[in-house]
Amino acid sequence: MSKYRERLTHEIETIKRMGYTGYFLIVWDFIRYARDKGIPVGPGRGSAAGSLVAYCMKITDIDPLQYDLLFERFLNPERVSMPDIDVDFCVRGRSDVINYVSDLYGRQNVAQIITFGTMASKAVIKDVGRALEMPYSEVEKVAKMIPPPVRGRNVSIEDAIKQNPDLENLIETNEQVSELIEIGRKLEGCARHTSVHAAGVVISPKPIYELVPVCKSQNDELTTQFVMADLEKTGMLKMDFLALTTLTIIEDCLRSIEREQGMRPDLANIPLDDQKALKLFSDGLLNAVFQFESSGMVEICRKLKPEGLEDLSALNALYRPGPLDGGMVDDYIDRRHGRKKVQYIVPQMKEILENTYGILVYQEQIMQLAQVLAGYSLGEADLMRRAMGKKKKEEMALHEEKFVKGAVERGIGQGKAERIFHLMAQFADYGFNRSHSFAYAYLAYQTAWLKAHFPDHFYAAVLSNEITNTEKVARYVSEMKLFGIELLPPDVNSSQEGFTPVGGAIRFGLAAIKGIGSSAVQLILNAREEGGAFRSIFDFAERVDQRAVNRRVLESLVKAGAFDTQSPNRAALLAVLDRAIEAGAKAQQDRISGQGGLFAAFDESSADGSDGDLLPDIPQWSRKELLATEKEVLGFYVSGHPLEEYTDSIRGLAKCDSGTIAEGVHGDQTVMGGLIIDLAVRTTKKGDRFALFRLEDQFGSVKIVCWPEQYNRFKGLLQPDIAVLVKGRLEVSDDGSATIIAGEIQQLEKARAKAARAIILKMAEDAVTPASIAAFNEIAASHPGNTAIFFDLKLNQGLEVRLMPHQYTRLDVSTEIIEAIEKISSKWKIELVVGD
C-alpha cells in the first residue's frame, strides 16, 4: 500500500491544477475514517467510487497500468462533470460517517437531499375517502380494485378503470364512489409529503443556505429543498452514502463467530481459491450471497462453475440485459470451458483481453486498447469510451479517424483497425467498470466463504437482518435444511431479539414474530435477565411491563410457540390469557404502590412452578390449526408444513416438486402439488380476468399462470393457502426459472381421494371399540367402491399387525367419507395410498 501512497503524493500537484484537491480528499478522508472506526465499507455503484474504494480496500495488487486507469478516470483534466461518488457503508455505521463529515466540514455545510412522495392511485383513493368521510370498508373495497404494480410501476386510476370492469360499473352505479374517483383523478401524482433521500448528501464550501434553499426534516436533519436532479444543475457537490445490508450481515456474522469461538476470521487474508466457497457457486446454493442469489445468476454460475474472483467479477459485469441478450454470457462460458476457440483480431489484444477470453467485458479494456493500439493517453481514451457509450456521433467520427490513424501508424492494417473500433463501439454500452465489478465480486466471495465455513452463524446474521422480509426469511430457512441446520421455534427463555446460532441450529428471534416491536422484546429480555427464566405464562405476565407487552403481544407469543417449554397446549394457554394479564397487571400495580399484600404468596399469579393446574383441560389444537396460527404470526411454518400429510400422495400424483421442476423439458406436460400463495387476479387488455400465483411445497415455490379460460373454470378453487394439484405446460426460461401454464386445477384432497388405491386406518388396540367398529361398518356399507381397506393395529404387547375386514373390503373414498371416518375417533389416523 505504501508505494501507492507515495505515488499518490506525486499526483497531488495534478489534482491541485484540476481543482479536485478538496473533492478527492473529502472522499479519501471519510473512507479512511470509516475503516479506522471498524465500519465496513463497499464500493457503491459509481465507477469512480468503485476505483477509489477498491484502491483503499487493497483488493488486488494493482499494476501500474491498472493504477493509471483507476485514477485517470477519477482525475481526468478534460472531463466536464464531477466524478460520481457512491460509497456503501454498514447500515449501522452510515449515520456515524455522515455525522463525522458534518462535524468536520461544519453542520451548516453538509445537508441531506429532499424527496417528494406523490399520491399514487391506491393512496389517493384512501386519502380522498377519508376526507369525504366515507366508511373505511367502502374505501378499502374501491382501493382493492386497483391492480397491483406492474414491474414496479403503479397502475393509474385511469388504467385501472379500463382493466377492471367491476370498478367501472361501481363508478357508474354509486354516486359517492364516482365523486371519490373524480377527485382522486385530479389529485393523483400530486406531492403528498416530503422525506429524505436514502443516500444523497451534499457538501458545500460555505453554509448551504447561502447557495440553495434548505429546510429541516422530521428528524431535525438539515435538508435541501431542491431534489437531486435540480441540485446537480446548481453545481453542488453530491455524494451518495449508501447503506448496504450485506456489509452489516458480514460484520454480525464475524462478531457471532468471535463470541462463540473466541476468534474472528480475517476476511482480508482468506484464500481466494477456497473450494468449499467456490462449490457453492458451482452448485447454485447462493441464497443470501451478495449479487448472486437471483435465479438467472444461479443458473449461469452452475453453467460456468467459477474458479476464482476473475470469473465472479466477469459474471457481475456480464449479468445485465445487453450482454445477456447479445449472447455474450454463453460465449464467455463456452470459451472458458474450451468449447469455443479464443481468437484476437491482432496479437496485441491478447494481453488486454486474455483474462476475459477475448471478450470485451470492462470499460478499462476499451481504454487500454485505445492506448496500446492507437497511442491514446488514458485521459483521451476515457473521453472516447464516454462518447461511444452515449452514442455521440460527431465525437465518435473524430475518434474513429484518430484511432484508425494511430493504429495504422503502429503497424495495424486499416481494415483490422476499423473492425476493432467498431467492436469497441458495439460493446461500449455493455462495458462495466472493472474495479467496481471486482470489489463487488470480492464482497460476494466473502459472503460465500462465511456461508461455506460458518453456515449457522451466517444464516443467523442473514435472518436477523432480513427479519421484516417474510418471503426472504422463508426462502433462507428452506435452504438451511440442505446444510443440516434446524430452525428452533421462538422461546421466551432462550430467544434473543434476532436469530442466534445454538449448537449447530438457529433459534428464532423474538423480533421476527409479527406484532412484537423492538421495545417489547427489550422489556422481555430485561425481565429475563433480572429474574431468570420465566416459569409460566402467569409469571411472564407478572414480571414483564404490560404497558408495552400487551394482550396482542402475548397472543402472538403463544401462537408462535414461545411458551411451549412451559406448556405445549397452546389452546389452553390462549384460554387463560385474559386471566394471566389481569393477575399480572394487579401484581405490577401492587408492586408500584408498595402493597404486595400479606397473602401475595398464595396468589396464583406468583406461579412458583409451571402453569400446572392453572390451565384448563381442553384439547390441543389440531396440526392444521397449529400450523395456520404459526404462519399467521411468523409468516411461514416452523413446526412442520401442511403438505406433510400429503407427502406420499403428492409423490404418487405429481411429476415434480419445486426443487426438481427446472430439470424438466420446456413444453412438456407436468403435474405439481402445493399450496396457493401470492395470489393476484389481473385483467387482460381485452378485459378478461386471469390469475397469477405461486404453488408452494416444502422445497420452495413455482409460478403458475392461469389464463382466462382456466380461471373461469377453476376460480372457485383459487383461494390463498388451499392445497391443490396443478396440471399444465412447463415453461423453462433461459435463466433457469420455471413456470407452469395451468390446464387443470384440482383440490388436492379430492385428487388424492379419487386416485387412492387403498385406505389404511391406523390405531392402537384400546382405540377399537364396538361403537367405533359399528360406526365404520355403517359408512362402509353405504359407500361401497374400489379402494381397498386395511387396519394397522398396534397391540398392547407392542406388536403391529395389518388386518383386512371380512365383510366390507372396499370403499368409495371421497373427502366427505374421510371426514366422516375422522369423526369416529380422534385416535384413528388415516393414510391414503396413491400411485403404484
Side-chain angles (χ1 to χ4, degrees), residues 450-501:
L450 289 170
K451 182 176 180 177
H453 292 274
F454 303 94
D456 51 343
H457 294 274
F458 176 77
Y459 276 114
V462 168
L463 293 171
S464 294
N465 280 278
E466 298 288 0
I467 213 162
T468 58
N469 191 326
T470 304
E471 185 180 340
K472 278 190 173 183
V473 169
R475 188 166 78 245
Y476 297 148
V477 168
S478 177
E479 192 189 57
M480 278 165 44
K481 296 173 186 175
L482 299 175
F483 288 79
I485 301 171
E486 181 186 2
L487 180 65
L488 305 175
D491 189 303
V492 291
N493 285 330
S494 303
S495 291
Q496 300 297 323
E497 182 170 1
F499 292 78
T500 48

Side-chain angles (χ1 to χ4, degrees), residues 27 30-31 33-35 39-44 86-95 97-98 240-248:
V27 181
F30 69 65
I31 292 175
Y33 168 81
R35 301 290 287 181
I39 299 170
V41 184
D86 298 353
V87 183
D88 291 321
F89 296 99
C90 164
V91 173
R92 289 189 294 268
R94 175 180 176 270
S95 58
V97 177
I98 293 175
D240 279 350
F241 289 54
L242 297 146
L244 185 63
T245 303
T246 299
L247 295 173
T248 309

Side-chain angles (χ1 to χ4, degrees), residues 8 11-28 48 52 70-85 105 237 239 382-383 386:
L8 180 62
E11 297 275 1
I12 291 297
E13 289 304 315
T14 304
I15 296 170
K16 286 179 179 177
R17 286 199 309 271
M18 293 166 53
Y20 276 14
T21 308
Y23 186 83
F24 178 82
L25 294 179
I26 286 171
V27 181
W28 181 273
L52 189 57
L70 190 157
F71 282 103
E72 282 288 346
R73 298 184 56 177
F74 190 68
L75 306 173
N76 185 349
E78 298 174 66
R79 70 180 295 159
V80 177
S81 60
M82 283 287 193
D84 185 25
I85 295 294
Y105 299 105
L237 172 60
M239 299 181 184
D382 187 40
L383 292 177
R386 294 175 69 196

Side-chain angles (χ1 to χ4, degrees), residues 322 388 433 501 568 611:
M388 288 176 170
N433 176 258
D611 291 312

Side-chain angles (χ1 to χ4, degrees), residues 579 610-616:
R579 191 150 55 95
S610 63
D611 291 312
D613 296 333
L614 301 176
L615 297 181

Side-chain angles (χ1 to χ4, degrees), residues 216 374 389 436 530-531:
K216 286 292 184 76
H436 168 87
E530 291 170 7

Side-chain angles (χ1 to χ4, degrees), residues 802-832:
R802 173 166 290 182
L803 305 174
M804 187 173 183
H806 296 292
Q807 189 174 4
Y808 304 108
T809 59
R810 293 194 173 269
L811 187 67
D812 181 17
V813 176
S814 67
T815 53
E816 292 76 20
I817 296 299
I818 292 171
E819 289 173 2
I821 296 173
E822 285 175 337
K823 289 177 181 177
I824 294 174
S825 173
S826 61
K827 296 179 180 178
W828 287 23
K829 304 300 178 187
I830 301 173
E831 180 183 324
L832 292 177

